Amino acid sequence: MTITRTAFRIHPLPAGTLAELRRTGRDATGQPPEHRHATGGEPLRCCLRDARPDETLLLFGYAPPLPPSPYREVGPVFAHAAECAGPHDVTAYPSQWRGREQVLRAYDSRGRIVGGRRHDGGDPEAVVAELFADPAVDLLHSRNVVYGCWMFAVVRS
């Protein structure tokens, strides 16, 4: 089977979600975020890179946007405590996370899981193309292999 490349866009944690969290002091579960100083390496969902030591972070519960369904989840994510510029490029896989094992979980338009694949980060674009080759797949979520938490969303361009 030949896999062709598929144009896609990466969706980090929405800036509006972070603005609301900072304004209200409450996350998706109604809890206040934890304020942390980075030790280095925490995956930041706002700008899609690893934190540098001593950056000021928030750790909080986030529910990635999905239609109401049993598959909608809340999980922990890190983001900058102050507003940041976001990712440099949303048309390519996050460069700092290339080579990192991830799971790409596939959802249909109703928000139901319809497949997925674990990848080693070496050629994530091939895995994105393979999953989007299925017309039932509407959206992908990149997930951390060990913790299962949401990293970013992938949509067709």
Side-chain angles (χ1 to χ4, degrees):
M1 175 171 155
T2 302
I3 301 291
T4 58
R5 298 296 175 180
T6 300
F8 61 86
R9 291 187 66 79
I10 300 293
H11 287 215
L13 189 72
T17 299
L18 282 168
E20 183 71 6
L21 172 74
R22 292 178 187 122
R23 186 183 68 73
T24 65
R26 299 288 175 209
D27 69 9
T29 65
Q31 298 299 307
E34 292 183 16
H35 293 263
R36 300 247 179 123
H37 287 284
T39 57
E42 294 90 336
L44 299 171
R45 280 33 168 244
C46 49
C47 55
L48 305 181
R49 67 166 176 80
D50 289 340
R52 293 183 284 274
D54 291 323
E55 286 187 287
T56 306
L57 309 179
L58 298 173
L59 173 62
F60 58 96
Y62 174 64
L66 282 176
S69 80
Y71 297 100
R72 189 155 190 223
E73 306 173 58
V74 174
V77 296
F78 288 101
H80 281 114
E83 190 174 334
C84 77
H88 293 293
D89 183 5
V90 295
T91 63
Y93 194 85
S95 62
Q96 278 202 5
W97 295 349
R98 190 168 289 282
R100 178 181 285 173
E101 275 190 275
Q102 294 286 287
V103 169
L104 285 174
R105 190 183 294 169
Y107 294 88
D108 67 13
S109 62
R110 299 179 311 143
R112 302 199 180 282
I113 297 173
V114 292
R117 267 261 326 271
R118 183 177 180 157
H119 67 88
D120 65 6
D123 189 6
E125 295 84 359
V127 180
V128 167
E130 179 184 320
L131 291 168
F132 277 147
D134 180 347
V137 174
D138 187 59
L139 169 73
L140 304 174
H141 283 177
S142 183
R143 299 277 179 153
N144 182 289
V145 171
V146 175
Y147 299 105
C149 43
W150 182 88
M151 301 294 281
F152 56 87
V154 184
V155 298
R156 287 181 180 91
S157 285

